[in-house]
Amino acid sequence: MLADMRSVVEQFKRLDRVLSIKREVDPVDEIPSLMREAEKRAKIILFEKVKGSAFPLINNLLGSMDLLAEVFQTKREGVVREWVARVREPVEPRITDWGPVKEVLRRGEDVDLRDLPVVTHALKDAGPYITAGIVIAKDPDTGIRNVSVHRMQLKGKNNLGIRIVPNQHLGRIQDKYEKSGKDMEVAVAIGNHPFETLAAATSLSFGIDEFTISGALRREPVDLVKCDTVDLEVPVTAEIVLEGKVLAGVREKEGPFGDFMQFYVPPMDNHVLRVTAMTHRHDAIYQTIQSGSVEDIHCLALSREAKIYEAVRNTGEIQALHMAPTLFNCAIAIRKRFEGEPRDVATEAFRAYSWLKHCVVVDHDVDVFDPKDVLWALATRAKFHPGLLLIKDTTGFPRDPFHLHASKLAIDATAPMNQWGEFERKTVRNAGVMRLEDYL
Ligand SMILES: Cc1cc2nc3c(=O)[nH]c(=O)nc-3n(C[C@H](O)[C@H](O)[C@H](O)COP(=O)(O)O)c2cc1C
């Protein structure tokens, strides 16, 4: 088990999956477009010198299925199954006395968030945004911890605007504090092992600590250490931690921001986070995630894919499934046993995850991780009439003023039964065995 983010990065370096940029680069004009280039190459990118900051910057840690599979030590097809198997047994976190994240402590006036290499991601973003922080808070009634990911706009030395969707768990917890006139203490861990980030991006039932899920993914307890200025605990392995309070009764303009759909969300009156301390490793690496990127969608999708997988695995013989390039569509590869089965599978998928807008069911020889391959199946094997299933007047993604998510489409893109002779895909001898590099 690779314990922290930096050991994952080291492992990916050995696999030649890390692009290291040694020259100084600008976090507004250069970094965002270079991150896009790294994403296209399915590589992690490490900026060793960022203008205006002493911290190096890492991005695209989970920017391809191969990288994600490496973290789970399985193949791409196996990631969802691994998730399902591991989260079955939650593991409680463990409190320890000290951890590397405590190597440097800055409090009060010594805190200056502008020291961090916070990136301005999109052209019309309101400013620099922290996007890879996992936010830790406790329910004031039960003391149970909640961990979730939230975008934070850098607004000054110790000030952040934070987007907390009202019905999500952090929103419910903040509401409780606010109703009793109290600020909500939070800690924000940045530069996390992917399991902590994936668990934080998972929607569990209210009252379940997401660290029990990262513990399950790790197959060992997450080690936590107490904060200095708030009554919370953070992973010892994080690179950087911000401690602070979400102010009760205070809202300020936050945004615009290019979000996970790649659209700009307009400025909104959102919460304010006042930072009281920052702790970090001596040589801390700051992490960022581009919203709407492959990495962002992987963080959000994996637990949703697992939900769909658990729902459909008794309906069809599932080979693989994947949501890409958005959270709203899913391709599912099956070994079809009867006509109509793809429809049943898609219907179950819609039931399992309400934000799903279209679902394409393909044969087992189609690569669901390659949207081009899914389009190939649509063009060559799908029969649109009859074959399409349109579900009207239903519920989907809730932020939907134009009712674009109120209907769903299932597409059977599998070959007709018992016609494999006509629809068998050609292959070449030794496909996947020969390595081009050996011939160069
Ligand atoms: C990179 C990233 C950024 C996110 N930004 C936000 C955000 O700004 N506000 C928000 O409420 N959820 C955001 N989310 C989604 C939540 O973290 C996610 O839905 C989580 O499951 C919510 O936690 P909860 O189940 O404890 O409510 C983001 C997720 C990721 C991966």
Side-chain angles (χ1 to χ4, degrees), residues 282-293:
H282 284 305
D283 53 351
I285 307 170
Y286 175 84
Q287 185 191 9
T288 197
I289 295 175
Q290 301 184 82
S291 61
S293 65

Side-chain angles (χ1 to χ4, degrees), residues 23 44 59 63 182 202 236 257 273 280-281 332 346 367 375 401:
R23 59 186 260 204
I44 292 164
N59 167 251
K182 289 189 184 139
T202 302
V236 295
F257 179 74
L273 166 48
H280 59 86
R281 299 181 184 222
I332 306 180
D367 182 1
L375 277 176

